Amino acid sequence: MLKTIRKFFAFCGEENRKKFVASVWLGVIEALFGALKIPAVAVMVKALLSGSVETRDILLSFGIMLLSVVGSGLVKAKATMLQTEAGYDTCAGKRIEIAEHMRYLPMGYFNKNSLGQIASVTTNVMENLENVATRVVMLVCEGLLTTALIVVMLFFFDWRIALILSAGFALFLAANARLQKAAGKMAGQKIDADERLVEKVLEYLQGMAEVKAYRLRGKKSGELNAAIAQNVKTNTDMEMLLIPRMSAQTLIAKLTGVAMAACSCAFFCAGSMDALTAVVMTVSAFIIYASLETAGQYSALLRVVDVSVDRAQAILDTPQMELDGEDLEPETRDIAAEDLEFSYDRRKILDGVTLEIPEKTTTAIVGPSGGGKTTLVNLLARFWDADAGRVTLGGRNVRDYDMDALMKNFSFVFQNVYLFHDTIADNIRFGNPDAPMEDVIAAAKKACCHDFISALPDGYNTVVGEGGASLSGGERQRISIARAMMKDAPVIFLDEATANVDPENENELSRAIEALTREKTVVMIAHRLKTVSHADQILVVDRGKIVQRGTHEELMREDGIYKTFVSERTEAAGWKVKA
């Protein structure tokens, strides 16, 4: 229990930890204010026993009770405010920290770790910490500290009752240890079930078109329903496992209070305890029960807090790419690679690749599917780090650059464009967040998307759906090109930028790409003959190696993959549908 609480406080950071600790002690002070009800009752009992209740006795009892209520309310308000601020600040800060950390993780991490798992950590797990953990840790700490303080105080009244409470407290802690052990077995399964459910919901929604097109409704609905059923079963099993143990520790707390009250009455009847002390001990028994019951009810969730912290910390502990580089400005934008090797899941993807891409030239990378084209581009752009060999920009190893300094040199237009749930203007401005509207419109015109944007109901202020779902593929591509133009980086990476575009949009998209790449260093993955044939250099990648290189004319004079590639596309272009 204490280990989990320390882990949670360490996770929160220095500033928020101070707020939580202050909140805990304020909770104890609140309990002490609440305990003032005991002397308030004692004043009246003493007056009644003396046979003379005077006005001053009534006013003193009322004053103590008023101090108890007002003091308890004010302290509780401050404690609640502190723990609320600390909880929300911690989780907001951790979400940002996780997002920043993931910026510098190799892209392979996102292949190994599904979107569902990452989404679950940043939503369900962080929500657990934001709402559940904050309340759980505070109430458990307050309940246990309050009980411990009352144990000490009771020794000044009657050591026998204090020993009874000490024994009950020890039994309660023993029962709670068993509860924690049982909760530990299920907490990980609960988080796993939550992650699985989020993953299947996202998969089902994102693949809705395929589900409908291929009539996978039954299969995919079955997988989603199975994830829901498993989540229900896991949570139910957890409750069924913990309820008997929670009941046991609640029973111990109740019996401890009963024992304190019963023994106080017995001692009074035996003449070894005066009536006033007996009443005070009996009232204390009810306060003790309330403190222990609160701590016990919420302590079962401490293991969920423990696992939640571990899941969030696991992302933050994932090794980033080397980030010790300098804020360098390359003298040229020549790109080179020497003896690159890269493996993924023990499978060799690239093996001894060497190349040179001079500044302000266009290099096209072609080859069979699975040959290593995309991996090569990812290494050149330092989305991944090579297992061996090196990539250079301007003669300097890309690892010598600070990541942000390196990325200032690169712009990307991917095959699958992602637009954020924001206005079209802000999606274009993503390449230069501080750009004025005039520059946004200028970039859109160069990217051949000004006309269709202007035709939208709200023009540049139109909010596109997440991923750009409300726009066509060609429209998304042109906005992506406008975004790259806004960044105006000297090196452009194009990954099948025209692969999914209809013929009506292809001419406009080609003009946009031409405007984007003018006087730039261009590296493109492409399969369209028209695009490839005009490149200054063509690299043919197959089975992790560059098997051919040269211009279109040079490679057409050789027998090999490229000549076959051109022949197949020339033949395909000549196909006609006979009537």
Side-chain angles (χ1 to χ4, degrees):
M1 182 189 299
L2 293 177
K3 181 181 177 183
T4 298
I5 292 172
R6 286 197 299 268
K7 180 189 290 187
F8 176 72
F9 283 166
F11 180 77
C12 293
E14 184 66 27
E15 189 64 30
N16 289 317
R17 179 166 63 249
K18 290 179 180 178
K19 290 181 180 180
F20 277 128
V21 171
S23 177
V24 170
W25 287 111
L26 285 174
V28 174
I29 294 172
E30 177 199 345
L32 294 178
F33 269 113
L36 288 177
K37 297 181 180 71
I38 297 174
V41 172
V43 168
M44 291 304 299
V45 170
K46 184 178 180 180
L48 288 170
L49 292 174
S50 68
S52 175
V53 180
E54 299 181 5
T55 303
R56 66 178 183 179
D57 296 321
I58 297 174
L59 291 176
L60 179 58
S61 179
F62 176 76
I64 295 173
M65 189 66 74
L66 182 63
L67 177 62
S68 173
V69 173
V70 173
S72 178
L74 292 175
V75 172
K76 182 177 179 62
K78 181 62 176 177
T80 302
M81 184 60 69
L82 282 174
Q83 74 182 50
T84 301
E85 287 178 1
Y88 283 116
D89 287 349
T90 293
C91 292
K94 287 300 177 181
R95 284 188 176 104
I96 294 171
E97 187 178 347
I98 288 172
E100 287 297 310
H101 186 83
M102 287 194 296
R103 284 180 58 202
Y104 302 109
L105 294 178
M107 291 300 293
Y109 172 83
F110 301 98
N111 294 329
K112 295 177 183 176
N113 298 270
S114 69
L115 178 62
Q117 180 182 351
I118 297 171
S120 181
V121 169
T122 54
T123 53
N124 290 345
V125 170
M126 296 311 295
E127 188 174 349
N128 283 339
L129 295 175
E130 189 173 65
N131 298 319
V132 178
T134 301
R135 186 164 179 78
V136 166
V137 171
M138 295 304 100
L139 291 175
V140 171
C141 288
E142 290 168 13
L144 297 181
L145 283 173
T146 299
T147 302
L149 286 174
I150 292 177
V151 168
V152 174
M153 291 170 60
L154 287 186
F155 274 104
F156 292 97
F157 285 88
D158 190 289
W159 63 270
R160 295 168 298 180
I161 301 300
L163 285 178
I164 293 172
L165 175 55
S166 298
F169 193 24
L171 286 174
F172 175 87
L173 292 176
N176 186 263
R178 292 190 61 194
L179 174 67
Q180 294 293 318
K181 185 176 180 180
K185 296 178 181 178
M186 295 297 299
Q189 296 178 35
K190 170 182 168 51
I191 300 296
D192 287 339
D194 288 345
E195 288 182 357
R196 178 70 172 169
L197 179 57
V198 172
E199 179 183 338
K200 285 301 173 184
V201 169
L202 288 173
E203 181 185 82
Y204 189 79
L205 293 177
Q206 291 175 336
M208 186 57 70
E210 284 73 16
V211 169
K212 290 182 177 180
Y214 293 96
R215 304 186 67 179
L216 298 174
R217 184 180 61 81
K219 178 182 178 182
K220 289 303 174 184
S221 292
E223 291 180 2
L224 177 59
N225 291 339
I228 294 172
Q230 183 60 44
N231 189 273
V232 170
K233 182 179 183 301
T234 301
N235 282 279
T236 303
D237 289 346
M238 186 173 183
E239 291 295 327
M240 297 301 292
L241 180 68
L242 298 183
I243 285 174
R245 291 163 175 79
M246 292 176 65
S247 299
Q249 68 178 12
T250 300
L251 182 61
I252 290 172
K254 287 182 177 180
L255 290 178
T256 299
V258 170
M260 289 173 63
C263 289
S264 296
C265 292
F267 294 150
F268 170 72
C269 292
S272 61
M273 180 182 290
D274 60 75
L276 180 60
T277 303
V279 171
V280 170
M281 293 299 101
T282 302
V283 174
S284 297
F286 288 98
I287 296 176
I288 290 297
Y289 164 65
S291 297
L292 285 179
E293 184 185 38
T294 299
Q297 285 179 343
Y298 286 95
S299 63
L301 294 173
L302 280 176
R303 297 303 300 171
V304 175
V305 173
D306 188 82
V307 175
S308 295
V309 170
D310 286 342
R311 293 296 170 91
Q313 195 62 47
I315 295 180
L316 295 173
D317 289 340
T318 303
Q320 294 179 314
M321 302 170 73
E322 294 180 17
L323 300 176
D324 297 331
E326 304 173 50
D327 187 4
L328 301 174
E329 182 72 23
E331 295 181 3
T332 68
R333 268 69 183 192
D334 297 332
I335 299 174
E338 300 174 11
D339 297 322
L340 285 186
E341 293 185 10
F342 184 79
S343 298
Y344 182 71
D345 284 344
R346 299 181 182 179
R347 184 167 66 92
K348 198 97 169 186
I349 306 297
L350 294 180
D351 186 10
V353 171
T354 297
L355 58 85
E356 292 183 3
I357 301 174
E359 184 178 35
K360 295 183 180 179
T361 64
T362 296
T363 295
I365 301 175
V366 301
S369 178
K373 303 184 297 297
T374 299
T375 300
L376 176 57
V377 170
N378 284 333
L379 292 175
L380 295 179
R382 212 196 167 195
F383 282 171
W384 291 327
D385 277 332
D387 298 333
R390 68 175 192 150
V391 176
T392 62
L393 173 67
R396 295 289 298 269
N397 193 320
V398 291
R399 298 191 187 201
D400 295 339
Y401 292 83
D402 171 86
M403 185 62 74
D404 291 331
L406 179 66
M407 288 300 158
K408 283 194 299 187
N409 296 281
F410 300 151
S411 284
F412 304 87
V413 179
F414 299 106
Q415 178 180 353
N416 298 314
V417 176
Y418 187 89
L419 299 181
F420 293 89
H421 184 67
D422 204 339
T423 65
I424 289 178
D426 283 341
N427 269 285
I428 294 174
R429 200 181 274 119
F430 199 72
N432 183 1
D434 299 322
M437 195 64 197
E438 295 77 14
D439 291 351
V440 171
I441 295 173
K445 288 180 177 178
K446 290 180 182 178
C448 303
C449 53
H450 174 71
D451 290 342
F452 84 77
I453 293 173
S454 299
L456 294 171
D458 296 317
Y460 284 86
N461 291 319
T462 301
V463 176
V464 298
E466 184 176 351
S470 57
L471 300 175
S472 72
E475 289 169 342
R476 291 198 300 271
Q477 283 284 11
R478 279 177 276 166
I479 289 175
S480 175
I481 291 171
R483 182 160 61 192
M485 286 178 170
M486 287 293 293
K487 187 175 181 182
D488 196 27
V491 180
I492 309 294
F493 289 96
L494 303 172
D495 185 357
E496 299 279 13
T498 61
N500 298 325
V501 179
D502 52 77
E504 290 78 7
N505 285 321
E506 185 176 359
N507 288 334
E508 289 190 352
L509 191 58
S510 296
R511 291 202 308 273
I513 291 175
E514 183 181 350
L516 170 66
T517 58
R518 192 172 294 124
E519 295 298 310
K520 308 284 188 181
T521 304
V522 181
V523 182
M524 65 168 69
I525 297 175
H527 286 144
R528 299 204 176 199
L529 181 57
K530 180 180 178 181
T531 305
V532 174
S533 61
H534 296 294
D536 299 299
Q537 175 183 211
I538 300 169
L539 304 177
V540 182
V541 179
D542 184 31
R543 297 180 183 179
K545 296 179 180 291
I546 295 178
V547 295
Q548 288 182 286
R549 71 182 79 206
T551 63
H552 172 74
E553 291 76 15
E554 290 169 345
L555 295 180
M556 286 301 293
R557 291 195 290 267
E558 300 177 7
D559 288 330
I561 293 175
Y562 184 77
K563 189 173 183 178
T564 302
F565 160 83
V566 173
S567 298
E568 289 175 348
R569 276 149 185 78
T570 302
E571 182 179 349
W575 288 351
K576 294 181 180 180
V577 178
K578 293 183 178 180

